Amino acid sequence: MKTNNTANSAANSAAKTGHERTGVRRGRTRNDARHDKTKNEKIKIIPLGGLEQIGMNITCIEYEDNIIVIDCGLAFPTDDMLGIDLVIPDITYLKDNISKVKGFVITHGHEDHIGALPYVLKDVNVPVYATKLTMGIIEHKLKEHNMMKSTKRRVIRHGQSINLGCFRIEFIKTNHSIADATALAIYTPAGIIVHTGDFKIDYTPVFGDRIDLGRFAELGKKGVLALMCDSTNAERPGFTQSERTVGRQFDHIFNEHQKNRLIIATFASNVDRVQQIINTAYKFGRKVIVEGRSMVNIISIAQELGYINIPDKTLIELDQMKNYPPEQIVLITTGSQGETMAALSRMAASVHRKVSIVPGDTVVFSSNPIPGNEKAVSNVINELYMKGAEVIYQDTHVSGHACQEDIKLIYALTQPKFAIPVHGEFRHLKAHAELAQMMGVEKDHIIVMESGDVLELSSDSAKITGKVHCGDVMVDGLGVGDVGNIVLRDRQLLSQNGLLIVVITLEKYTNQILAGPDIVSRGFVYVRESETLMEDARHVVSQALENCLSHRCSDWGKIKNVVREALGDYVWKQTKRSPMILPIIMEVE
Amino acid sequence: MKTNNTANSAANSAAKTGHERTGVRRGRTRNDARHDKTKNEKIKIIPLGGLEQIGMNITCIEYEDNIIVIDCGLAFPTDDMLGIDLVIPDITYLKDNISKVKGFVITHGHEDHIGALPYVLKDVNVPVYATKLTMGIIEHKLKEHNMMKSTKRRVIRHGQSINLGCFRIEFIKTNHSIADATALAIYTPAGIIVHTGDFKIDYTPVFGDRIDLGRFAELGKKGVLALMCDSTNAERPGFTQSERTVGRQFDHIFNEHQKNRLIIATFASNVDRVQQIINTAYKFGRKVIVEGRSMVNIISIAQELGYINIPDKTLIELDQMKNYPPEQIVLITTGSQGETMAALSRMAASVHRKVSIVPGDTVVFSSNPIPGNEKAVSNVINELYMKGAEVIYQDTHVSGHACQEDIKLIYALTQPKFAIPVHGEFRHLKAHAELAQMMGVEKDHIIVMESGDVLELSSDSAKITGKVHCGDVMVDGLGVGDVGNIVLRDRQLLSQNGLLIVVITLEKYTNQILAGPDIVSRGFVYVRESETLMEDARHVVSQALENCLSHRCSDWGKIKNVVREALGDYVWKQTKRSPMILPIIMEVE
């Protein structure tokens, strides 16, 4: 299947001739010269996140004194990260090599690809390169963090190339669930690396061009050394449907529900989805309201930059809703994932300030639950039904990621020598690896990496040769990285069993008990209904303490242990629970 | 579609003639006489749980001084019930009417139908009626709670009827994901109520007979007043496949993986599934090991009662595994839902004492994730892949619940006058209601109930006339109901932000500070790395206290408020977090 085995020389020629369609930056660059010298240059690929997980995408491509970084995303906290707001990558490696870092190249504007930028740029202040809409969304973030002045930014068009250090990076048009997504062809001294970013193949996109399959084919003919391709849907057979199919479904729903108010929940960043709802609303003579902070933000950025086309007088403010009958309204809202604080969840729970769900409303989930959110979404659906709404949640969404046959097409076009599955949990990477093999990539040329792995790649070899420091940095409020495992373990313990605090005041020299022991409980039992238990517990602690002190024990550590053991044993016997026990000793002279 | 409108008289004749096939308890019973007197008897149906939720099924059928209770299940804690082990129904209504309660009639042996029995029987000690395997599983529970002697039990065969007070209850064979499930025909003074229990229609069950569709049809011809039918799969189109289809899939998997050790995870209670694995293992000459406490328990009960047929020398102990090559082993295990403590999860996480996952292992999930468990299951799948196992998780499970076309068949056979969808979240009940309407039940004869509703049902009317007390009782360790909303709210708060404890010792009469303020933190920040913050916080509290005390404030409530506000404000400004703040004042004379 795969016939190309001269990836490196082909890459050289690609680097030399440039990209015909763009006309940008022809001519020889520094790295071209270097290419000619040797065919055994080694580059390094080092993902600092994004592998074995969905989220926190950030990957370094390194050659000698040159590092470029692809994406800089955040992850949402896992269930065991209690109280954490978001997670960003540990970028110790970038800080340690700060003089080499040439810039961030961003593939699209989703949080898992841009969300960590405001945090990371504080430590690694290098230029950011992205397409127009992506940059618009990044700039919104930078403004919030008051970092616009300090951050160098450059907007790149599809087809255009930039030089960063020894690398040339070409932006290639793709489709995704957010407009202006890009794949990257990275011309390195070892050969061409194609990074798809998150993508789908949409032959009939709602906005802009379809994915530039021709360019993938051209690169394949020139010779692609390695393909780093989206794995999200690598387990799903078939092709991903066009975004436009959802539009036809909207037409159908609007037609069937001409007497109902329509409320449609979708992802805030899916501008094309919102465009289609607006198109259908316009066709059916409805006014459109956009509700939910993140969606309002993105739509206003998209409108400003020309990525959405809203007919005059179609969009109205929420406060104007009362001036129209329900059947002339469509409300587009956040909350399609059942997020507690999002607009739709607040409507469903009757705590939204301005919108109440009433019988006759039709609520459409234009989304699928992201794994882990199924229960939350189902709860919102139940609440909506209980309020008398009709709920539609099937055939109203298409994925933004390529399915198996689409992925195969990219392999068929690019014919890479090496395959490096990216963007996915291990199961997705593994499924992707099987596809790559099926498409003719040699088994030992398929490299399933972990975050932190250092992959050394030359024109004819790929080998994981080391590991760099990487990991999760948890953000909680203003604190970046100040919540660690000890704090999380305490939160976990407190959440399961609550705590018992034992306070004692001792006289400094005699160690005589001046006050206490008092026991205070939180999250353990409701004290008013468990007075006997608490009184007995106090008695148990008193006895243990007296016994300990009468033996002239004056070591606070020992005293605390005695309290912990006596109280812990007693409480376990009585309740089979293990609350955290916290003895506090005060001393009075 | 529905032609029968003499449900009541038909019910009478059914009650009089009995059920030909069983031959048990013919002859007239007390209620028959009462039937003849009036056609306007009203019975009450009162679900105390199980509606608008999956789990905690318990429903009262009441007539004058007679109450029977169908099922007595538990629910698993929702995400916001931190630290809770399980949830049982509030049975205040039964306790208040204890003299009326004639017994518990149990439809099958799943936790959500029997799990609360040991708790509820302590307060409402009445006889329990169930089929053989169901009773075997109940008895296992009663033994654990040392309640065998105190509990009256009677095993009922399918086709047999029992009289409880004025009610006659006939057990009708059904199929489900656990053997020996039963539907109930309840002959009441108002007419016949058919309760399906959880069921599927399996024309080719692995063990025992297929569902007694003929009896449903006979009842339909006699006249069914109300159908209380399983709603779990009411949103799913089509028919539920036979359990036997999974067996064919096992044959295929065993055939394709003749060189691999096989590990198959499934639900502990699905005896027929285990039977099929054993059948295939025997065919392929493999030894079978059962691992995981709950599965070992149920299989031994099933074996003892003749519900599973294990060929000699097929089953071996886990310790014997080392005596056989991997390709001669199949390990059947718990953990198909990704439960942290279950056997498979421990194997995947390399913390199982006796089984390690190695490359070459093939792990089969013979299950679908129950909503809410998707992420946990996915995590285990990832871990298994990382250890080099192959993982199979598609086409290896069928549901135990009837899909839309099956539900329609039951409506077609029973032709009920009233439809009362049971067993499901609101969305399922709602979908079921639509099916009932489609099947010809009049719209106002379809009653979607909430737990606690009192439905008064006569031969020609159904009306929700009241509400009884019901709800969740949380079990935490030995505590039943001692964890309430205040404790949960504290656990929630502690889990998100941790806490700060401020301790002060005051002199009793002067209110002079003798010791403190000391601040102790748990789950907030790691103190060693936040010394400045904590030191400044102490300073802030000191100043606020001194200010307060110098104004002769001696009210402890006020002092505590001053501490809470000062510290809360300071910490919020510094960290944008809101830990619980717990001021504790001690007093020394």
Side-chain angles (χ1 to χ4, degrees):
Chain A
M1 199 126 190
K2 187 170 165 302
T3 53
N4 162 45
N5 55 7
T6 56
N8 192 36
S9 59
N12 284 344
S13 75
K16 268 179 272 178
T17 55
H19 176 201
E20 288 80 358
R21 288 180 54 210
T22 71
V24 181
R25 293 183 183 273
R26 307 257 168 110
R28 288 173 72 91
T29 53
R30 274 174 300 157
N31 51 321
D32 298 342
R34 199 180 282 128
H35 274 218
D36 294 341
K37 277 187 217 149
T38 167
K39 293 195 175 188
N40 264 316
E41 301 289 357
K42 275 189 185 158
I43 61 151
K44 289 179 186 168
I45 299 179
I46 311 172
L48 297 176
L51 294 181
E52 304 178 7
Q53 68 178 138
I54 299 283
M56 217 167 86
N57 294 283
I58 175 167
T59 303
C60 310
I61 313 278
E62 179 171 346
Y63 178 76
E64 290 177 353
D65 285 344
N66 308 275
I67 294 178
I68 56 166
V69 187
I70 302 171
D71 291 332
C72 186
L74 58 75
F76 294 102
T78 52
D79 287 347
D80 54 347
M81 296 182 182
L82 295 170
I84 298 301
D85 299 329
L86 50 97
V87 184
I88 59 172
D90 185 327
I91 49 139
T92 305
Y93 183 74
L94 292 181
K95 286 195 275 186
D96 289 349
N97 292 281
I98 195 154
S99 64
K100 298 183 183 176
V101 184
K102 306 300 175 197
F104 289 97
V105 185
I106 307 294
T107 60
H108 64 284
H110 279 155
E111 288 293 345
D112 56 335
H113 294 256
I114 65 166
L117 269 176
Y119 301 92
V120 171
L121 285 171
K122 278 171 192 150
D123 290 320
V124 183
N125 186 11
V126 296
V128 178
Y129 303 86
T131 55
K132 194 159 102 180
L133 180 66
T134 308
M135 191 61 88
I137 298 169
I138 291 170
E139 286 178 350
H140 182 80
K141 279 185 184 295
L142 294 176
K143 278 174 204 156
E144 282 180 344
H145 284 79
N146 203 18
M147 290 170 68
M148 278 293 275
K149 275 195 186 159
S150 61
T151 309
K152 278 191 192 154
R153 308 174 306 278
R154 205 176 127 207
V155 171
I156 312 296
R157 278 173 291 112
H158 288 119
Q160 195 178 346
S161 295
I162 51 171
N163 288 318
L164 292 181
C166 70
F167 301 108
R168 187 151 66 83
I169 300 134
E170 178 190 334
F171 282 52
I172 305 169
K173 171 78 192 174
T174 58
N175 306 120
H176 188 37
S177 47
I178 186 168
D180 240 11
T182 193
L184 306 169
I186 305 159
Y187 300 82
T188 80
I192 303 175
I193 297 171
V194 173
H195 189 298
T196 64
D198 292 6
F199 82 106
K200 71 187 280 185
I201 294 172
D202 195 334
Y203 295 123
T204 55
V206 170
F207 180 91
D209 297 331
R210 71 175 65 107
I211 179 172
D212 189 355
L213 292 175
R215 186 58 189 155
F216 284 95
E218 277 180 317
L219 290 167
K221 289 295 178 201
K222 286 174 201 293
V224 170
L225 177 60
L227 175 64
M228 302 176 76
C229 177
D230 182 1
S231 310
T232 314
N233 277 352
E235 290 182 313
R236 290 203 207 167
F239 301 88
T240 303
Q241 288 206 285
S242 170
E243 174 64 28
R244 216 173 269 273
T245 58
V246 183
R248 287 195 288 272
Q249 191 62 16
F250 286 142
D251 285 354
H252 177 69
I253 291 170
F254 276 64
N255 193 42
E256 296 275 303
H257 296 82
Q258 302 207 16
K259 293 184 175 168
N260 307 94
R261 182 169 67 169
L262 281 164
I263 299 172
I264 305 181
T266 192
F267 299 98
S269 59
N270 197 330
V271 177
D272 291 345
R273 188 69 49 87
V274 173
Q275 177 74 69
Q276 295 198 97
I277 299 170
I278 289 171
N279 293 349
T280 306
Y282 183 73
K283 227 184 281 180
F284 283 82
R286 292 199 188 223
K287 300 293 178 189
V288 174
I289 298 160
V290 176
E291 173 59 1
R293 200 171 56 94
S294 56
M295 191 175 277
V296 170
N297 286 341
I298 298 231
I299 298 308
S300 84
I301 295 168
Q303 215 177 346
E304 200 175 300
L305 299 178
Y307 283 79
I308 192 166
N309 174 18
I310 306 178
D312 277 354
K313 295 183 188 167
T314 302
L315 210 57
I316 62 169
E317 293 295 316
L318 186 52
D319 290 330
Q320 296 175 261
M321 186 162 69
K322 58 181 181 299
N323 305 330
Y324 298 87
E327 67 271 19
Q328 283 177 26
I329 293 291
V330 55
L331 212 153
I332 310 176
T333 175
T334 55
S336 67
Q337 294 301 310
E339 311 94 317
T340 322
M341 299 306 294
L344 181 64
S345 309
R346 285 185 283 125
M347 294 173 202
S350 301
V351 296
H352 193 283
R353 283 178 308 118
K354 295 180 176 172
V355 186
S356 304
I357 301 293
V358 292
D361 282 346
T362 298
V363 181
V364 181
F365 282 79
S366 184
S367 59
N368 279 347
I370 292 169
N373 295 344
E374 292 86 351
K375 196 83 192 170
V377 171
S378 197
N379 288 345
V380 174
I381 291 175
N382 281 318
E383 283 179 326
L384 292 167
Y385 271 132
M386 283 184 214
K387 302 230 154 26
E390 183 184 354
V391 187
I392 300 173
Y393 45 86
Q394 270 161 351
D395 304 322
T396 48
H397 180 64
V398 294
S399 173
H401 296 274
C403 284
Q404 289 180 347
E405 298 305 310
D406 303 310
I407 294 171
K408 287 183 193 166
L409 174 52
I410 298 300
Y411 274 88
L413 295 176
T414 55
Q415 300 179 74
K417 194 166 185 179
F418 295 95
I420 305 167
V422 295
H423 204 270
E425 297 172 16
F426 193 81
R427 58 191 288 185
H428 307 125
L429 306 180
K430 180 96 177 127
H432 186 154
E434 278 169 29
L435 292 178
Q437 205 182 339
M438 214 181 287
M439 290 304 295
V441 183
E442 288 173 36
K443 196 170 179 183
D444 60 354
H445 283 193
I446 303 168
I447 301 105
V448 174
M449 296 180 76
E450 293 177 16
S451 297
D453 278 347
V454 177
L455 176 72
E456 290 202 357
L457 187 67
S458 75
S459 63
D460 54 9
S461 76
K463 203 174 163 190
I464 292 171
T465 57
K467 193 100 189 170
V468 305
H469 181 81
C470 73
D472 296 338
V473 174
M474 288 177 277
V475 178
D476 182 6
L478 294 181
V480 178
D482 67 341
V483 171
N485 288 335
I486 295 175
V487 173
L488 281 189
R489 206 188 49 203
D490 282 349
R491 287 184 185 174
Q492 182 64 26
L493 189 55
L494 291 167
S495 76
Q496 293 301 300
N497 298 286
L499 90 161
L500 289 169
I501 304 162
V502 182
V503 215
I504 322 147
T505 304
L506 298 180
E507 192 172 57
K508 185 162 183 180
Y509 303 106
T510 63
N511 260 349
Q512 195 197 331
I513 299 177
L514 294 179
D518 287 355
I519 302 184
V520 178
S521 142
R522 284 293 182 282
F524 170 56
V525 290
Y526 187 43
V527 178
R528 282 195 203 162
E529 288 169 1
S530 310
E531 276 176 11
T532 323
L533 176 74
M534 295 302 281
E535 192 46 51
D536 290 351
R538 213 183 76 85
H539 189 68
V540 165
V541 172
S542 274
Q543 281 208 315
L545 264 176
E546 273 167 31
N547 190 31
C548 169
L549 294 173
S550 69
H551 287 81
R552 295 175 168 256
C553 172
S554 60
D555 177 341
W556 283 16
K558 273 189 200 161
I559 298 175
K560 285 181 181 179
N561 270 342
V562 164
V563 169
R564 257 188 226 109
E565 274 179 30
L567 185 55
D569 284 355
Y570 176 76
V571 162
W572 174 254
K573 267 183 210 140
Q574 295 297 314
T575 65
K576 290 277 183 291
R577 300 183 204 168
S578 307
M580 180 188 284
I581 295 177
L582 200 55
I584 302 176
I585 302 175
M586 306 209 71
E587 196 178 55
V588 172
E589 281 193 41
Chain B
M1 198 125 194
K2 186 168 164 312
T3 53
N4 162 45
N5 54 10
T6 56
N8 193 37
S9 57
N12 286 344
S13 74
K16 267 178 274 178
T17 55
H19 178 205
E20 287 79 358
R21 288 179 54 212
T22 70
V24 180
R25 295 184 182 272
R26 308 261 165 107
R28 286 170 76 89
T29 53
R30 272 175 303 158
N31 52 318
D32 299 340
R34 198 181 280 129
H35 273 216
D36 295 338
K37 278 189 216 148
T38 167
K39 294 194 174 189
N40 265 316
E41 302 289 355
K42 275 187 183 159
I43 61 149
K44 290 179 185 168
I45 298 179
I46 310 172
L48 297 177
L51 294 181
E52 304 178 6
Q53 68 178 137
I54 299 283
M56 216 167 84
N57 295 283
I58 176 168
T59 303
C60 309
I61 313 279
E62 180 172 347
Y63 178 75
E64 292 179 352
D65 285 344
N66 307 274
I67 294 178
I68 56 167
V69 188
I70 302 171
D71 290 333
C72 186
L74 57 74
F76 293 102
T78 53
D79 287 347
D80 54 348
M81 295 181 183
L82 295 170
I84 298 301
D85 299 327
L86 50 95
V87 184
I88 60 172
D90 186 327
I91 48 141
T92 304
Y93 183 72
L94 292 182
K95 285 196 276 187
D96 290 348
N97 293 280
I98 194 154
S99 64
K100 297 184 184 176
V101 185
K102 306 300 175 197
F104 288 98
V105 184
I106 306 296
T107 60
H108 64 283
H110 278 155
E111 288 293 345
D112 56 335
H113 294 257
I114 66 166
L117 269 177
Y119 300 92
V120 171
L121 286 171
K122 277 171 191 149
D123 290 321
V124 182
N125 187 11
V126 296
V128 178
Y129 303 87
T131 55
K132 194 159 103 181
L133 180 66
T134 308
M135 191 61 86
I137 298 169
I138 292 170
E139 286 179 351
H140 182 80
K141 278 185 184 297
L142 294 177
K143 278 174 204 159
E144 283 181 344
H145 284 79
N146 203 17
M147 291 171 69
M148 277 293 275
K149 275 195 188 161
S150 61
T151 309
K152 279 192 192 154
R153 309 174 305 278
R154 204 172 129 210
V155 171
I156 313 297
R157 277 173 290 114
H158 289 118
Q160 195 180 346
S161 294
I162 52 171
N163 287 318
L164 291 180
C166 70
F167 301 109
R168 187 150 67 83
I169 300 132
E170 176 190 336
F171 281 54
I172 304 169
K173 172 77 192 173
T174 58
N175 305 121
H176 188 38
S177 47
I178 186 168
D180 239 11
T182 193
L184 305 171
I186 304 158
Y187 300 82
T188 80
I192 302 174
I193 297 170
V194 172
H195 190 297
T196 64
D198 292 7
F199 82 105
K200 71 185 282 185
I201 293 171
D202 195 333
Y203 295 122
T204 55
V206 170
F207 179 90
D209 297 332
R210 70 176 66 108
I211 179 172
D212 188 355
L213 292 175
R215 187 60 190 154
F216 284 95
E218 276 181 318
L219 290 167
K221 289 296 178 199
K222 286 175 201 292
V224 169
L225 177 61
L227 175 64
M228 301 176 76
C229 177
D230 182 2
S231 309
T232 315
N233 276 352
E235 291 182 315
R236 288 203 210 166
F239 301 88
T240 303
Q241 287 205 285
S242 171
E243 174 64 27
R244 215 172 269 273
T245 58
V246 184
R248 288 196 286 273
Q249 191 61 18
F250 285 141
D251 285 353
H252 177 70
I253 292 170
F254 276 65
N255 192 43
E256 296 273 304
H257 297 83
Q258 301 206 16
K259 293 185 175 166
N260 307 95
R261 181 169 67 170
L262 281 164
I263 299 172
I264 305 181
T266 192
F267 299 99
S269 60
N270 198 331
V271 177
D272 292 345
R273 189 68 51 85
V274 174
Q275 176 75 69
Q276 296 198 95
I277 300 169
I278 289 172
N279 293 349
T280 306
Y282 183 73
K283 225 182 284 178
F284 284 81
R286 291 198 189 225
K287 300 292 177 190
V288 175
I289 298 160
V290 176
E291 175 57 3
R293 200 171 56 93
S294 56
M295 191 175 277
V296 170
N297 286 341
I298 299 232
I299 298 307
S300 83
I301 295 168
Q303 217 177 344
E304 199 176 302
L305 299 179
Y307 283 78
I308 193 167
N309 174 19
I310 307 178
D312 277 354
K313 296 181 188 168
T314 301
L315 210 59
I316 62 169
E317 293 295 318
L318 186 52
D319 289 330
Q320 296 176 260
M321 186 163 70
K322 58 181 180 300
N323 304 331
Y324 297 87
E327 65 272 19
Q328 283 176 25
I329 292 290
V330 54
L331 212 153
I332 311 176
T333 175
T334 55
S336 67
Q337 294 301 311
E339 311 94 317
T340 322
M341 299 306 294
L344 182 65
S345 309
R346 286 184 284 125
M347 295 174 203
S350 301
V351 294
H352 193 284
R353 283 178 308 120
K354 296 179 176 173
V355 187
S356 305
I357 301 292
V358 293
D361 283 344
T362 298
V363 181
V364 181
F365 281 78
S366 183
S367 58
N368 279 347
I370 292 170
N373 296 344
E374 293 85 351
K375 196 83 191 170
V377 172
S378 198
N379 289 345
V380 173
I381 291 175
N382 281 319
E383 284 179 327
L384 291 168
Y385 271 131
M386 282 183 213
K387 303 233 155 20
E390 185 185 352
V391 187
I392 299 174
Y393 46 85
Q394 268 160 355
D395 304 321
T396 49
H397 180 64
V398 294
S399 173
H401 296 273
C403 284
Q404 289 180 347
E405 298 305 310
D406 303 308
I407 294 172
K408 286 183 194 165
L409 174 52
I410 297 299
Y411 274 88
L413 295 176
T414 54
Q415 301 180 74
K417 194 164 184 178
F418 295 96
I420 307 167
V422 295
H423 204 269
E425 297 172 16
F426 192 82
R427 57 191 289 187
H428 307 126
L429 305 180
K430 180 97 177 127
H432 185 154
E434 277 168 31
L435 293 178
Q437 205 182 340
M438 216 182 283
M439 289 305 294
V441 183
E442 287 173 36
K443 196 170 179 182
D444 59 355
H445 283 193
I446 302 167
I447 300 106
V448 174
M449 295 179 76
E450 293 178 15
S451 297
D453 279 347
V454 177
L455 176 71
E456 290 201 355
L457 187 66
S458 73
S459 64
D460 54 9
S461 77
K463 204 173 165 191
I464 291 169
T465 57
K467 194 101 188 168
V468 305
H469 181 79
C470 73
D472 295 339
V473 174
M474 287 176 277
V475 178
D476 183 4
L478 294 181
V480 177
D482 67 340
V483 170
N485 287 334
I486 295 176
V487 172
L488 282 187
R489 204 188 51 203
D490 282 350
R491 287 185 185 173
Q492 181 63 26
L493 190 54
L494 290 167
S495 77
Q496 292 302 301
N497 298 288
L499 90 161
L500 289 170
I501 304 163
V502 182
V503 214
I504 322 147
T505 303
L506 298 179
E507 190 170 60
K508 185 161 181 180
Y509 304 106
T510 62
N511 262 344
Q512 195 196 329
I513 298 177
L514 294 179
D518 286 357
I519 302 182
V520 178
S521 140
R522 283 293 183 279
F524 170 58
V525 290
Y526 187 46
V527 177
R528 282 198 202 158
E529 287 168 2
S530 309
E531 276 175 10
T532 323
L533 176 73
M534 296 301 283
E535 192 43 51
D536 291 352
R538 214 183 75 85
H539 190 68
V540 166
V541 173
S542 276
Q543 283 208 317
L545 265 176
E546 273 166 31
N547 191 30
C548 168
L549 293 174
S550 70
H551 288 80
R552 296 175 165 257
C553 171
S554 60
D555 177 340
W556 281 16
K558 271 189 201 160
I559 299 174
K560 286 181 179 180
N561 269 342
V562 164
V563 169
R564 257 188 225 108
E565 273 179 32
L567 184 55
D569 284 355
Y570 175 76
V571 163
W572 174 254
K573 266 183 211 140
Q574 295 298 313
T575 65
K576 290 276 184 291
R577 299 182 205 169
S578 305
M580 179 190 284
I581 294 176
L582 199 55
I584 302 176
I585 302 176
M586 306 207 72
E587 196 178 57
V588 172
E589 279 193 43

